[in-house]
Amino acid sequence: MTNLPLESIPSVLLDFMNDDHREATLLTNKLHAQLQELIASPEADRQPATDTLIALYNHDKEHFAREEAEMERTGFPAYGCHKGEHDRVLAEMEEILNGWQAGMAPEQLEQYLNGTAAPWLINHISTMDTVTAMFVSQQ
């Protein structure tokens, strides 16, 4: 994976969501760089990647909670669907984090970033977050 260019991340109508998406992108890119180092030098310390993965997980939990609070506050009709997707992704990330902490290979975590996490982020922002931000901004 190459880094996710910040300009490839869609913008929505709410600044706090754009700021959170930017931070998630920066953390993803940092994790990618750390994984590349581990792949090139398997004896390198895994702790920096662990710390970044934990930071990404915690960031996403907090970001999703902010979005969900705004959806609830404004009576967003598709709240259950959007929150369900957040819950699904957090459960998946927790499983990945547990696997990483149990010794998952850097290549496997990199595959998750490439094949699942990065495409999901762009798709989720382009669809669910865009609609949510439009609704919330009109309330």
Side-chain angles (χ1 to χ4, degrees):
M1 173 176 109
T2 57
N3 283 340
L4 272 172
L6 286 172
E7 61 274 6
S8 73
I9 304 302
S11 290
V12 300
L13 293 176
L14 295 174
D15 288 340
F16 87 89
M17 290 173 77
N18 290 325
D19 292 344
D20 282 350
H21 297 153
R22 181 180 188 280
E23 180 64 21
T25 301
L26 293 173
L27 286 167
T28 299
N29 289 342
K30 181 178 180 181
L31 181 57
H32 165 70
Q34 292 166 329
L35 291 172
Q36 291 304 301
E37 182 179 323
L38 286 168
I39 290 167
S41 301
E43 71 284 349
D45 184 9
R46 290 171 56 102
Q47 193 60 48
T50 301
D51 294 343
T52 303
L53 184 56
I54 291 169
L56 179 60
Y57 174 75
N58 288 332
H59 167 78
D60 284 354
K61 273 179 50 174
E62 293 165 6
H63 167 62
F64 293 166
R66 281 189 286 277
E67 280 186 14
E68 291 162 11
E70 283 301 296
M71 287 188 277
E72 284 187 305
R73 182 185 67 78
T74 60
F76 182 61
Y79 170 79
C81 178
H82 197 152
K83 182 180 182 341
E85 185 62 6
H86 287 169
D87 293 345
R88 183 193 69 76
V89 167
L90 287 175
E92 180 180 88
M93 286 182 73
E94 187 171 351
E95 187 176 310
I96 292 293
L97 175 59
N98 290 337
W100 176 254
Q101 291 174 321
M104 174 190 291
E107 294 85 354
Q108 190 176 351
L109 180 52
E110 179 74 357
Q111 183 177 18
Y112 169 74
L113 289 178
N114 285 339
T116 303
W120 178 86
L121 177 65
I122 293 170
N123 182 61
H124 184 76
I125 295 168
S126 297
T127 57
M128 290 186 171
D129 283 355
T130 295
V131 171
T132 300
M134 286 183 349
F135 182 87
V136 170
S137 70
Q138 293 173 357
Q139 303 307 307

